[in-house]
Each structure stands twice: as C-alpha cells, then as structure tokens.
Amino acid sequence: MYRFIIRRVLSAIPLLIAITLVSFAIMQMAPGDFLTQMSLNPQISPQLIEKLRVTYGLDQPVYVRYLRWLWGVVRLDFGYSFAYHMPVIKLIAQRAAATLLLGLSSTIFAWGIAVPLGILAAVHRNSWIDRLTSILAFMGISVPTAFLALLAVFVAARTGWLPIGGMHHMSYEFMSPWQQFWDLLRHLVLPTLVLGIGMLAGLMRQVRSNLLETLRSDYVTTARAKGVSERVAVYRHAFGNAINPLITIFGYYIGDLLSGAALVEIVMAWPGLGRLMLDALSGKDIYLVMGSLVISSIMLISGNLLADILLAYSDPRIRYN
Amino acid sequence: MLRKQMADKSIKATAERTSLSPGRLFLRRFSRNRAAVTSAVILAVLYLSALLAGFIAPYAMDRQNRQAPFHQPIGIRWSDESGWSRRPFVHEYHSGKGITGYEKAAGKRYYVRLFVRGDRYKLLGLIPSDRHLFGVDAPGKVYLLGTDRFGRDIFSRVLYGAQISLSIGLVGIVITFFIGLTVGGISGYYGGTVDNLIMRFSELVMAFPSFYLILAIMAVLPTGMASSLRYLLMICVLSFIGWAGMARVIRGMVLSIRERDYVTAARSQGVSDWRIITRHLLPNTVSYVIVAITLSLPGYILGEVALSFLGMGIQEPMASWGNMLQAAQNIRVLTSYPWMLAPGAMIFITVLSFNLLGDGLRDALDPR
C-alpha cells in the first residue's frame, strides 16, 4: 500500500512538470505582458518600466525564466504577483482555502442527500418517488452551473433571505466569533446549493443503479431465500457493495468541482481560486496563473489518489502492489 | 424494471412474429419511451430553427434600437380593451418615467403579419433574402423575449446564438470521436508498447486541470482575432481535452473484440490492419458510440457556455448563448430585467433533451 502511494506521488512529478511546461508555453504566446499595460500609462516613465522589467526578470530568455520559476516552486516560492503586489503562494493559500471550503461543503451536501435518495429510489423502484427523483436528477444534471448561479442570485436579491454573494458581510470584522460563523454559513448556503446540485443528481443516479445491480446479484437472492428481512438484505448485504464503486466517482468529481467552482465563484463573488485565475489571466499576471494551475493540478491529482486509497481500504478485492 | 419488462415483452412479440430486424426492434423500443421521443423532436426543432435563424428571427442579430434598451417582452395578443381581434397583434410601448419599464400606448394595434420584409440576411449562408417569418409594421416592434442593453431583440439573438452554441457540440464531437476512435482502435488492436504509450499520454491529458487550461488558452488568443477562427480554435481546444476518455473506452472494447474468431479469420486471410480496425473492430462499438455521442454532446455546449460566459469564448457582437448569459451577470440587470436569462433556459432545455435522448437510446440499443 505505502509503496503504491509513493509510486503514485512520484509519477505525479513528471505530470506536474508537463503541466507547468505547457502552461508556461501558453502564457508565452500571449501578446504583451503585465508591463505592456503599464507602459500605456503616461504617468509611468519608460525608465521605470525598464527597471521593473529587469527586477521581474522579464528581460531574460524564456527558458531561463521557466527554470528560475521551477527552481522557485521547488522551494515553495511561486513568484510574485504583479497585480496584487504580494507573493503568489500567500495569495493562492487564501483563495484555495475558500475554494476548498466551498468544495467540501457542496460535497457533503451532495453525498448527504444523494445516498439516501438513491437508496429510496432503488428500493421503491418504479414508484412515484423513483420517477420524481429521476426527473429531478435529469434536471439537475442538465442545468448549466452559470445559469443556476444567476437564478440563485436572482432569487436571493428578490427575496432578501440570503446574501447575494461574497464570503463575508461588510461588518464581518466587528462581529463576535459566533456571529462570524453564522455569517459565513449564511454566505455559504447558495454557492453550496448551486455547486452541489449537479453532483447530487449524478450521484443519486449512480447510487440507484449500483444498488439495483447489487440487489439482483446471487448472494442477495440467497440471503432473501434464507429469510432475512428486506431491510437487512438492503442495508446489511447490498448497501456496502453498492457504495464501493462510488468512491472512484468521488475522485472523478474533483475535476468537475474545480471547474464548476470557478463559475460559481465568479457569479457569486466567492473569493476562491477560480476568480483569482480569471483575474490573473485578464491581467497577464503570469506567475499567478502558473501558480493557480499548479495548485489546481495538485488538488486534482491528490483527489484522485485519495479516491484510489479509499477504494483500496474499502474493497478487499483490490490490492495495489 | 419497467423498461426491462417492456423489452422482454417485445422480445416475446418478436419470437411470435419472427423476422423483425434489429433496427426495427430498436425503433419499436425507442418509440415507447415518450421522454426520449419528445426530446428528439425538441432537438430537431431547435436545430432546424438554428439553421433557418435568419428567416425565423424578426430582426438581424445586430439590429439595435437605441430607443428601447432592456425592453420587456412584448406578448402577441388577440384582445385588448377595445375587444377581440381576428388577427394577432402587438401594442406599441413608450419609455416610461422611471428608469425601467416601458408603458403601453393605448389604442393602436400593430398586426402581426407573416412573410414580411425586414433586415437583409442570407438563408443558410447562401441565399440572400429579406423575408422574415413574421413581423409587424413600423413603428411597431415585436420583442417576444424583450431586448438587451443595446435594444437588440433577444428572441432573434437566441436564434442566431443557437447557430453557434448548437453547432459547437456537433463539430466538437465529430473531432473528438474521430481522434478517440482512431487512437483507441490502434491502441487496442496493436497492444504492447504502442498501447502503453498511448494510454500514458491519455492519462496525462486527463490529469490536466482542463477547465483552467482551456481558460488560459482562450485568454491568450489575441482580442482582434476573427470570430470564426476563435470559434474553430475553441472547438479544437474542447475536443483535445475530450478525446482521451473516449479513446480509453474504445480501446477496452477493441481489446476484447480482437480476440474473436472472425477477426482471426480476417487476419489469416491477410486483410490489412487498417481494414481490420475500421471494418471489423470499430463497427462493433457503434451502439456504445451513438449513446456516448448523445451523452457527451452537452459537455461541449456547456463548455462553450462557460467560456463565453467568462468572456473568453465567442465575442460580441456575435451572439452565443454563453455570452448572452454573460450580459445578465450584473446584479442590477439581473434583478430588473429577468428576461435576460432566456438563453440560460434554452441551454437547459437543450442539454436536458440530449440527456433524455441519450438515456432513451441506451435503453433501446442495449436492453439489459
């Protein structure tokens, strides 16, 4: 097991290097750099710009800059953000925390609802509840995240029940810790719903079909033939085996979560990575873009690894050697 | 399962009447699924109206009406204070006193007429014409879904936007499947080192944080780029990410099919590898491919929407559902002019239809 983990972590390194290479190359294709915009400002002298160019190393050839940057990354120095005037790593740490919080809350929301509903639909299949959940699931899978986020903002603005965006109230700094927590929770509700619904719908269908499949297998029939109650047949015998494959899906959703989160964050002014990335892209803030890409890749890779490890723990048939 | 029962029944029915071809069987099963059939019809209507957008839309994509920004939707009516009418008509509106809203001008009716002359367009991009399916005489206006910031008719723009948003899925999927089938077929048939290399490469592609990467690529494209070129590049980028998953599944299927006797027979007769792959292996994956196409098409539509929504995709003044939705992002616009969300509803309907259709196709092609 440890061997497997170490091997996976090691194999992620060339992958990460490939990702950084590709993204560095892409950013080089961009016309102009961060200083081009500055040079349009008549208040800033060309001498100052030239000086900045040297300080930031923008006068060096591409490969020098890449290697320098890569060497920095190894020492956890992701460079400096031109626009925010702070180290990239600090900026990303703040924002990634917000994205992780949102991802975590919507994952909990989705699984918490999808699993019981999926079981219900499978146990009472072809009943009204099965049909209703199946219709809702199709709608949930199909609704575009951006549209749903806009709808949520619209409802929030019209009713005033929940904040329309952001992570904190303006007076957050002056609140007691308990109020702060409550405030954060209130701000978290809508983004969580919007981001979680697609995942919920997909998961629910999976839980349902997996459970149906398992309920049809021979060992469940045997258990039933021996006279165990339906409840025991479903929860004791079938449930565990039906849930197992879903753990791989958990890893698979992380990629979706990251891209979905970007849209939600932008519409709902959630100060996360996606928003940061978009701002960085439009500002040609190259090291910030690179940093975000690397961090999101690491999140993706470690999410998949986590899923594999969980699967190995929960399913005795799987052995990684 | 109801569908299973239905399938069983239809199999029995086949046994009684004997010779029903697989195609026939499929059609029979498919037509029993009401949701899937409805979806197919909806999609057909959507694609047809996108094709004939110029004719159906009452106004040109970029026809502005500076007097009527954010005009509310104007309903086609059959009656008003002065009674019923035998012909449908619309009212004229004047800008009101407040910031928002237009007030109905009493009395005057503008009758909706068919095949009226209006903005010039090219039908199917070829035939120049100025006839529109419907319209009203000036100075009346017919804004079925209201207007946007520049007073452009949203209904017309939704139709023009459909040309982009709907075609992106089709073109993207063709590219993806071409790559996915070829690469997956080669990888599965040859196995060994080739297979290993291809699979490692596809893993690499799949491990990319694709959305951020696509964003980055789209962001560095020069702003002055021709929109048709931008459109093509966007499709290519979306397809480049999509082929890997497809190739892996095809490879798995080909791996098992190539062991069958008829493939060995073909090989022993000296049939070329290429011919075996394209004639004997890939056709066996067709039913999977059809379902996968239907179910992965929404991904491309949603991809375009996400990119254009973030300002990295199709640029103004071209209309796409994504960039139209972007205009609704402003909180004041969103709350005061909710009809700006119309393109979002269109995306939802389209994607839902594709998902229901795909589900129906799967049940009909592979009744387990």
Side-chain angles (χ1 to χ4, degrees):
Chain A
M1 191 68 200
Y2 292 111
R3 256 216 186 133
F4 165 75
I5 296 175
I6 290 168
R7 211 176 58 209
R8 281 287 298 264
V9 170
L10 285 181
S11 74
I13 292 172
L15 191 65
L16 278 172
I17 291 178
I19 290 172
T20 57
L21 256 175
V22 171
S23 29
F24 210 83
I26 292 170
M27 288 311 287
Q28 291 312 315
M29 290 192 303
D33 52 36
F34 174 71
L35 294 173
T36 327
Q37 284 179 6
M38 239 186 214
S39 62
L40 295 176
N41 187 344
Q43 304 247 321
I44 303 172
S45 69
Q47 286 85 0
L48 179 65
I49 295 206
E50 217 31 61
K51 219 179 115 196
L52 284 172
R53 195 176 293 282
V54 175
T55 351
Y56 287 132
L58 289 177
D59 56 339
Q60 304 285 331
V62 184
Y63 65 93
V64 175
R65 271 189 288 154
Y66 175 71
L67 288 177
R68 264 193 196 177
W69 177 81
L70 200 63
W71 174 235
V73 169
V74 174
R75 293 169 296 145
L76 281 181
D77 172 15
F78 283 76
Y80 195 78
S81 160
F82 304 131
Y84 289 87
H85 298 294
M86 62 192 285
V88 166
I89 184 81
K90 239 171 124 182
L91 199 56
I92 287 182
Q94 284 172 7
R95 299 304 187 89
T99 296
L100 276 177
L101 177 67
L102 182 57
L104 194 70
S105 67
S106 44
T107 307
I108 294 172
F109 162 73
W111 282 75
I113 295 183
V115 172
L117 269 188
I119 295 175
L120 214 61
V123 172
H124 304 279
R125 76 162 183 250
N126 293 330
S127 68
W128 65 270
I129 192 153
D130 187 19
R131 293 220 183 89
L132 184 72
T133 51
S134 140
I135 292 169
L136 289 179
F138 267 110
M139 293 173 73
I141 297 170
S142 308
V143 69
T145 316
F147 179 53
L148 196 63
L150 285 174
L151 280 182
V153 171
F154 178 73
V155 171
R158 277 285 168 98
T159 58
W161 291 333
L162 286 164
I164 54 167
M167 196 172 172
H168 302 299
H169 190 257
M170 274 185 298
S171 58
Y172 182 78
E173 308 265 316
F174 308 104
M175 292 176 179
S176 68
W178 181 245
Q179 280 175 317
Q180 285 189 340
F181 178 70
W182 176 242
D183 181 60
L184 183 63
L185 225 53
R186 272 171 54 86
H187 280 85
L188 202 53
V189 172
L190 281 182
T192 301
L193 277 177
V194 171
L195 190 56
I197 274 181
M199 189 168 32
L200 194 167
L203 265 175
M204 196 172 74
R205 299 279 297 172
Q206 292 284 350
V207 172
R208 178 184 175 275
S209 64
N210 281 354
L211 190 58
L212 280 179
E213 194 86 353
T214 326
L215 282 175
R216 240 179 271 148
S217 60
D218 290 343
Y219 77 94
V220 178
T221 315
T222 314
R224 279 178 175 150
K226 287 164 85 177
V228 300
S229 67
E230 190 59 25
R231 172 179 288 270
V232 174
V234 171
Y235 292 98
R236 263 300 155 67
H237 294 267
F239 179 69
N241 280 330
I243 281 299
N244 257 340
L246 291 179
I247 294 168
T248 22
I249 294 175
F250 167 76
Y252 170 78
Y253 270 112
I254 292 176
D256 271 9
L257 215 57
L258 275 176
S259 61
L263 288 169
V264 175
E265 282 167 9
I266 285 153
V267 177
M268 307 188 114
W270 187 262
L273 264 186
R275 217 189 148 68
L276 187 70
M277 175 83 180
L278 193 70
D279 290 346
L281 276 174
S282 41
K284 301 257 161 22
D285 202 346
I286 172 164
Y287 295 123
L288 191 51
V289 173
M290 301 289 296
S292 311
L293 271 171
V294 170
I295 295 295
S296 54
S297 312
I298 290 177
M299 279 159 84
L300 194 66
I301 293 170
S302 44
N304 285 330
L305 179 61
L306 192 70
D308 281 350
I309 294 171
L310 280 175
L311 191 64
Y313 266 113
S314 66
D315 192 337
R317 286 170 299 186
I318 296 172
R319 284 280 163 267
Y320 296 113
N321 287 314
Chain B
M1 226 185 173
L2 190 68
R3 290 204 185 107
K4 187 174 151 48
Q5 286 167 4
M6 277 168 21
D8 288 347
K9 245 186 247 161
S10 77
I11 288 165
K12 266 180 218 145
T14 326
E16 282 158 20
R17 275 175 237 143
T18 58
S19 57
L20 264 187
S21 70
R24 267 278 160 86
L25 261 178
F26 159 74
L27 271 182
R28 171 171 296 204
R29 277 194 296 260
F30 182 74
S31 59
R32 290 222 178 96
N33 187 337
R34 253 182 298 161
V37 174
T38 317
S39 304
V41 173
I42 290 176
L43 287 173
V45 170
L46 281 173
Y47 273 89
L48 198 67
S49 22
L51 208 60
L52 302 176
F55 173 64
I56 298 172
Y59 301 102
M61 177 169 71
D62 48 3
R63 164 69 68 199
Q64 303 186 355
N65 180 358
R66 292 299 175 112
Q67 268 74 53
F70 294 122
H71 200 296
Q72 71 263 42
I74 298 178
I76 293 179
R77 314 170 58 111
W78 294 86
S79 75
D80 59 8
E81 307 82 40
S82 45
W84 287 80
S85 157
R86 252 189 285 155
R87 289 158 63 199
F89 61 89
V90 295
H91 283 297
E92 194 185 357
Y93 287 75
H94 295 300
S95 46
K97 290 179 200 83
I99 323 158
T100 64
Y102 294 81
E103 284 162 12
K104 197 170 76 182
K108 190 111 174 73
R109 290 170 172 181
Y110 291 91
Y111 290 103
V112 176
R113 295 191 297 116
L114 293 178
F115 306 113
V116 292
R117 286 183 182 280
D119 293 321
R120 303 199 61 81
Y121 65 92
K122 280 197 174 142
L123 193 63
L124 306 175
L126 294 171
I127 313 155
S129 164
D130 61 355
R131 293 274 176 198
H132 294 262
L133 180 63
F134 66 96
V136 294
D137 291 326
K141 296 284 180 203
V142 51
Y143 297 133
L144 292 181
L145 294 174
T147 66
D148 66 5
R149 186 155 62 103
F150 301 110
R152 295 177 298 197
D153 179 33
I154 292 185
F155 178 73
S156 303
R157 282 179 71 78
V158 161
L159 283 169
Y160 280 103
Q163 291 184 327
I164 285 183
S165 299
L166 293 181
S167 65
I168 243 169
L170 285 187
V171 182
I173 214 90
V174 167
I175 299 178
T176 306
F177 275 77
F178 181 72
I179 306 178
L181 278 175
T182 319
V183 173
I186 290 174
S187 187
Y189 180 71
Y190 290 107
T193 325
V194 179
D195 181 37
N196 217 343
L197 275 177
I198 291 179
M199 285 303 111
R200 290 299 86 73
F201 184 64
S202 72
E203 272 163 23
L204 181 80
V205 172
M206 283 163 76
F208 268 66
S210 48
F211 186 72
Y212 285 5
L213 195 74
I214 295 175
L215 264 187
I217 295 176
M218 295 307 290
V220 301
L221 296 182
T223 35
M225 194 177 210
S227 37
S228 52
L229 196 59
R230 213 183 163 85
Y231 166 84
L232 281 178
L233 271 171
M234 189 151 105
I235 297 177
C236 290
V237 171
L238 287 173
S239 315
F240 178 72
I241 301 294
W243 68 269
M246 171 78 206
R248 292 177 78 88
V249 180
I250 295 291
R251 166 191 172 263
M253 296 176 79
V254 167
L255 267 181
S256 74
I257 300 169
R258 72 164 182 184
E259 302 303 330
R260 302 232 183 112
D261 289 343
Y262 75 93
V263 180
T264 320
R267 209 175 300 153
S268 65
Q269 283 182 341
V271 179
S272 72
D273 287 350
W274 179 248
R275 206 176 152 81
I276 291 181
I277 293 178
T278 53
R279 285 295 162 82
H280 296 291
L281 298 180
L282 294 184
N284 269 298
T285 62
V286 153
S287 64
Y288 162 78
V289 166
I290 290 176
V291 173
I293 282 183
T294 334
L295 291 179
S296 52
L297 238 153
Y300 292 85
I301 298 178
L302 292 175
E304 182 275 320
V305 167
L307 286 178
S308 302
F309 182 78
L310 298 178
M312 305 285 175
I314 304 295
Q315 306 288 322
E316 288 272 345
M318 291 275 278
S320 90
W321 290 350
N323 75 16
M324 291 178 72
L325 204 56
Q326 187 192 20
Q329 226 192 110
N330 182 308
I331 180 76
R332 197 180 65 83
V333 172
L334 180 63
T335 46
S336 321
Y337 320 113
W339 54 87
M340 297 289 287
L341 286 174
M346 295 305 293
I347 304 161
F348 176 57
I349 293 171
T350 310
V351 174
L352 184 63
S353 303
F354 269 117
N355 281 331
L356 288 171
L357 177 66
D359 194 58
L361 284 176
R362 181 170 46 202
D363 284 348
L365 282 170
D366 184 20
R368 263 185 304 172

